[in-house]
Amino acid sequence: MKADILLGLQWGDEGKGKIVDVLAPQYDIITRFQGGPNAGHTIEFDNKKFILHTIPSGIFNKNTINVIGNGVIIDPFVFNKELEKLESSQISVDKNLLISKKAHLILPTHRLLDAMYEHNKGKAKIGSTLKGIGPTYTDKTARLGIRIGNIERNDFYKKYKELKEKHLQIIKSFDFDYNTQKIEGLTLDEYEQKWFDAIEIIKPIQKIDSEYYINQSLNNNKKVLAEGAQGTMLDVDFGTYPFVTSSNTVAAAVCTGLGIAPSKIGEVYGIFKAYCTRVGSGPFPTELDNEEGQKLRDEGREYGSTTGRPRRCGWVDLAALKYAVMLNGVTKLCMTKADVLNTFKTIKAGANYDFGGKLIDYIPFEASYENLNPVYKEVQGWNCNTTELKKADDMPAELTAYVKFIEQEIKVPVAMVSVGPDRSQLITL
Ligand code: GDP
Ligand code: IMO
Ligand code: MG
């Protein structure tokens, strides 16, 4: 068997959690391969809503094993909060959650460093979720990090103290007053205490050499779906650098984040909103800083799942989508939040960019620093309620036409259209 991938094609929050949850019954294993608690994946069913940050979105399906891969970084404090929320809804993870021993730990002081670096950037701040992502991946590549497998070893506390000291030295050298800095509303000492309590909670969870586990599962014809976090335009290499996250978010990261060969990749589901959002700073050519943008925010309830921040909203950006499809080798598209456009008379899509008077449909290096002005194509809205639709045949003609238009532009078929946050609100094409 080959592993399938589902990942975001825009700036995150495309609805990955919802679609992974829908697909979960078709898979034996759902696995995260990168990112950490900067992710917020929302799943709704039976009038209940869950937001997952570290745990894969297959956790609500009893028969699916969920693996947190080696490419993921874990904050025990956040992870424990997730567990508590699941347990309070009688969702047990005892049998179907496994963690890679090679996944790195986010230390309390990684979070302080994140806050300090953002603070020091002033107006140029990334708009980080401040979950410690950048500093933790930095330590990983600097070969200083501490991994999940280290928790059980005798020298764990010694390693922890050494790394914490290094971090505090850096913080002091920047003259950053960490004593007044709160992490999730707690002082460093308070947070550290809860972090170590959470380490005890992680201890009984099964930890594995996940690269062997995933490869053996594929060899045994098990179906594996790799769940992306963030989105392609936040990729550390190909996103709108430096306004990106600190991991590779593209399909290639599945190979390093799980330890599987490129030849083991099957379908690549690319997921995008029928419009576009971004949270945090950085270029967003099709952003609507006007009433229409506000309408998208209101109708789409566009407020961050992890931070609660209002998301910036705009039209779909076809050039950026084509770029994402190219980078990821997307074989099937999934368009979410079509229902959010139910009351728009007309819908626009950025087709090209005007870049210094030249019409282009690619994203040049200079786009990080200079303006790309989108040139729009406009299609008719459908002006009806789509939230109850179950079948492609019942879709209003204008929605079908919008889907066809996107397929023609992107040259990849749309396999699913999502028309609401609930698990049941999905049309398979
Ligand atoms: P993720 O990070 O990609 O998993 O996406 P988020 O959960 O951060 O954000 C997507 C938001 O849109 C969540 O609040 C979902 O419940 C919601 N959502 C997902 N699909 C749809 C849809 O088709 N229509 C509407 N209206 N909401 C959706
Ligand atoms: P999901 O998986 C949307 C954004 C942040 C910030 C930048 C860097 O829910 O789609 P970081 O915390 O990684 O240092 O932040 O990336 N960002 C996301 N935006 N969805 C996410 O994840 C995100 N994870 C990070 O807002 O602009
Ligand atoms: Mg999200």
Side-chain angles (χ1 to χ4, degrees):
M1 273 286 172
K2 295 190 176 192
D4 295 341
I5 306 173
L6 183 142
L7 47 73
L9 301 181
Q10 297 165 319
W11 280 278
D13 302 329
E14 297 91 348
K16 298 175 290 293
K18 174 197 157 154
I19 304 299
V20 170
D21 169 66
V22 170
L23 295 177
Q26 299 172 30
Y27 287 91
D28 299 297
I29 297 168
I30 306 286
T31 174
R32 282 271 308 270
F33 56 94
Q34 49 70 233
N38 47 350
H41 294 182
T42 315
I43 290 130
E44 292 193 32
F45 57 91
D46 299 344
N47 292 319
K48 281 182 289 201
K49 176 173 168 172
F50 297 91
I51 300 174
L52 298 172
H53 303 288
T54 325
I55 296 174
S57 301
I59 202 73
F60 303 102
N61 185 50
K62 278 202 179 65
N63 301 321
T64 309
I65 301 288
N66 293 269
V67 178
I68 301 176
N70 58 278
V72 176
I73 56 178
I74 301 174
D75 182 335
F77 175 89
V78 179
F79 177 76
N80 186 32
K81 285 228 169 288
E82 265 177 271
L83 285 183
E84 283 173 356
K85 283 218 180 99
L86 291 174
E87 276 160 12
S88 71
S89 294
Q90 277 77 49
I91 289 153
S92 156
V93 302
D94 294 350
K95 293 204 179 67
N96 62 347
L97 181 64
L98 308 172
I99 310 180
S100 170
K101 290 181 189 172
K102 294 191 176 73
H104 279 244
L105 283 166
I106 301 175
L107 270 54
T109 40
H110 280 130
R111 298 201 52 174
L112 284 183
L113 284 169
D114 213 1
M116 181 185 82
Y117 289 132
E118 272 291 77
H119 174 80
N120 289 351
K121 285 197 170 94
K123 275 197 179 143
K125 72 173 185 191
I126 308 282
S128 165
T129 60
L130 302 179
K131 301 293 174 188
I133 305 298
T136 305
Y137 277 120
T138 303
D139 274 352
K140 175 178 172 175
T141 39
R143 297 157 295 181
L144 293 169
I146 306 178
R147 304 190 282 184
I148 285 285
N150 291 99
I151 290 176
E152 313 272 0
R153 299 178 69 92
N154 291 335
D155 61 352
F156 173 62
Y157 190 64
K158 183 170 163 277
K159 273 184 183 297
Y160 173 89
K161 265 193 9 198
E162 282 169 6
L163 190 53
K164 175 185 168 184
E165 265 322 302
K166 271 200 185 86
H167 291 162
L168 289 181
Q169 273 171 20
I170 298 171
I171 291 168
K172 282 173 194 157
S173 76
F174 276 88
D175 207 17
F176 183 68
D177 181 11
Y178 67 89
N179 289 312
T180 56
Q181 186 69 37
K182 295 280 171 75
I183 318 169
E184 310 272 350
L186 303 171
T187 63
L188 177 59
D189 287 349
E190 290 165 344
Y191 193 84
E192 193 175 51
Q193 182 58 51
K194 290 200 187 288
W195 192 90
F196 275 105
D197 292 346
I199 288 281
E200 294 304 314
I201 306 289
I202 291 183
K203 279 188 179 167
I205 296 180
Q206 212 186 321
K207 289 165 228 66
I208 55 167
D209 288 311
S210 56
E211 62 278 32
Y212 283 108
Y213 180 85
I214 300 282
N215 278 290
Q216 279 159 8
S217 300
L218 291 172
N219 291 343
N220 291 331
N221 284 328
K222 299 278 185 219
K223 288 200 73 187
V224 176
L225 177 67
E227 172 182 0
Q230 291 77 56
T232 302
M233 299 309 289
L234 289 169
D235 181 276
V236 67
D237 281 280
F238 303 108
T240 43
Y241 193 90
F243 301 101
V244 292
T245 190
S246 296
S247 68
N248 282 115
T249 59
V250 292
V254 171
C255 295
T256 53
L258 294 180
I260 59 174
S263 57
K264 291 276 171 71
I265 304 296
E267 297 286 355
V268 181
Y269 292 96
I271 175 165
F272 67 101
K273 284 180 193 178
Y275 48 100
C276 193
T277 64
R278 166 162 210 172
V279 60
S281 336
F284 180 4
T286 57
E287 181 172 13
L288 294 166
D289 194 10
N290 58 17
E291 259 175 42
E292 252 176 341
Q294 186 57 42
K295 184 170 168 176
L296 285 171
R297 190 171 305 113
D298 293 341
E299 302 281 326
R301 290 186 286 160
E302 293 296 355
Y303 295 90
S305 310
T306 297
T307 58
R309 290 176 293 178
R311 294 177 182 145
R312 298 157 64 192
C313 297
W315 296 121
V316 104
D317 183 336
L318 295 170
L321 278 184
K322 280 182 206 164
Y323 183 58
V325 163
M326 173 185 85
L327 293 169
N328 293 302
V330 172
T331 57
K332 288 181 178 169
L333 291 169
C334 172
M335 183 170 90
T336 58
K337 306 196 89 160
D339 56 297
V340 174
L341 301 179
N342 282 352
T343 57
F344 282 78
K345 277 205 168 54
T346 54
I347 295 160
K348 284 187 192 153
N352 300 292
Y353 304 121
D354 178 338
F355 184 52
K358 207 173 136 202
L359 211 58
I360 57 171
D361 73 343
Y362 63 92
I363 304 175
F365 175 84
E366 290 72 17
S368 304
Y369 306 98
E370 291 155 50
N371 267 351
L372 290 178
N373 295 311
V375 179
Y376 290 104
K377 285 189 180 167
E378 199 171 88
V379 299
Q380 210 53 45
W382 39 93
N383 290 285
C384 65
N385 181 13
T386 55
T387 58
E388 307 284 323
L389 299 181
K390 302 277 179 249
K391 295 202 300 273
D393 288 349
D394 299 334
M395 288 194 333
E398 295 85 355
L399 174 54
T400 307
Y402 186 50
V403 169
K404 288 256 172 298
F405 164 70
I406 293 205
E407 285 180 330
Q408 270 159 15
E409 292 282 331
I410 308 293
K411 310 231 166 5
V412 178
V414 175
M416 287 171 270
V417 176
S418 176
V419 288
D422 192 86
R423 197 189 252 178
S424 63
Q425 293 172 295
L426 189 76
I427 303 168
T428 307
L429 305 185

